[in-house]
């Protein structure tokens, strides 16, 4: 997967935490919302149905593992999971922990002004927490 290219918008908005067997794991650089994005490391894919059946199964398993980790770590009121792609055509799956107290509740977080970026030490703490809950995660920060 050395030839995989991340869409520039994702690269600009996110920090790379690491990789799972299929997906690159990104942290949206906005500490307002705990928000991970899974990007299958396959070039030219816009929709889940374009993945091979085997990759579809891996994506669902990785998404479920990330969701469980986020539920455990963040204890949100709701976990929003979506593959929208209106602005970024590269297949990516958002996992956003939502709270009744967050600024966008009950609306969506899409298209809002960027919040406050994470300080480096908090990124390190989050990475260590995810490494404990996602044994297949290979760290890259």
């Amino acid at each position: 997967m050395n030839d995989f290219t991340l869409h520039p918008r994702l690269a600009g908005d996110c920090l790379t935490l690491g990789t799972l067997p299929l997906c690159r794991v990104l942290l949206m650089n906005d500490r307002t919302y705990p928000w991970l994005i899974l990007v299958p490391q396959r070039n030219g894919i816009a929709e889940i149905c374009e993945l091979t059946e085997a990759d579809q199964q891996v994506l669902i398993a990785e998404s479920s593992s990330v969701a469980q980790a986020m539920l455990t770590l963040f204890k949100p009121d709701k976990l929003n999971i979506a593959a929208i792609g209106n602005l970024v055509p590269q297949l990516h799956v958002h996992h956003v922990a939502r709270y009744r107290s967050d600024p966008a509740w009950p609306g969506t977080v899409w298209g809002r002004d960027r919040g406050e970026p994470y300080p480096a030490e908090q990124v390190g703490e989050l990475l260590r927490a995810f490494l404990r809950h996602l044994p297949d995660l290979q760290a890259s920060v």
Side-chain angles (χ1 to χ4, degrees):
M1 292 184 220
N2 293 335
D3 65 340
F4 173 73
T5 304
L6 186 64
H7 189 278
R9 174 112 187 216
L10 292 173
D13 289 348
C14 301
L15 306 168
T16 298
L17 291 183
T19 58
L20 292 166
L22 176 65
C23 293
R24 186 156 310 168
V25 181
L26 307 177
L27 173 67
M28 180 63 79
N29 196 12
D30 177 354
R31 62 189 246 171
T32 308
Y33 309 97
W35 186 340
L36 292 187
I37 300 173
L38 295 182
V39 185
Q41 295 180 106
R42 303 288 188 260
N43 288 319
I45 301 292
E47 305 296 341
I48 293 171
C49 63
E50 295 173 335
L51 293 168
T52 66
E53 283 189 39
D55 280 352
Q56 289 176 34
Q57 292 174 7
V58 174
L59 176 59
I60 294 299
E62 289 180 0
S63 176
S64 294
S65 294
V66 165
Q68 187 57 59
M70 291 183 73
L71 290 172
T72 300
L73 292 170
F74 301 116
K75 301 184 180 4
D77 295 316
K78 178 69 176 99
L79 185 63
N80 293 166
I81 300 173
I84 299 173
N86 293 348
L87 295 176
V88 176
Q90 182 174 52
L91 177 59
H92 60 289
V93 182
H94 299 268
H95 295 70
V96 187
R98 299 295 308 277
Y99 302 90
R100 287 180 183 86
S101 61
D102 77 40
W105 187 271
T108 66
V109 297
W110 324 119
R112 295 190 164 273
D113 291 334
R114 177 176 281 192
E116 187 177 340
Y118 282 100
E121 63 274 3
Q122 191 173 9
V123 174
E125 291 169 12
L126 286 171
L127 175 58
R128 287 187 293 279
F130 280 112
L131 286 168
R132 287 191 305 274
H133 288 86
L134 297 169
D136 290 339
L137 181 63
Q138 300 297 310
S140 54
V141 291

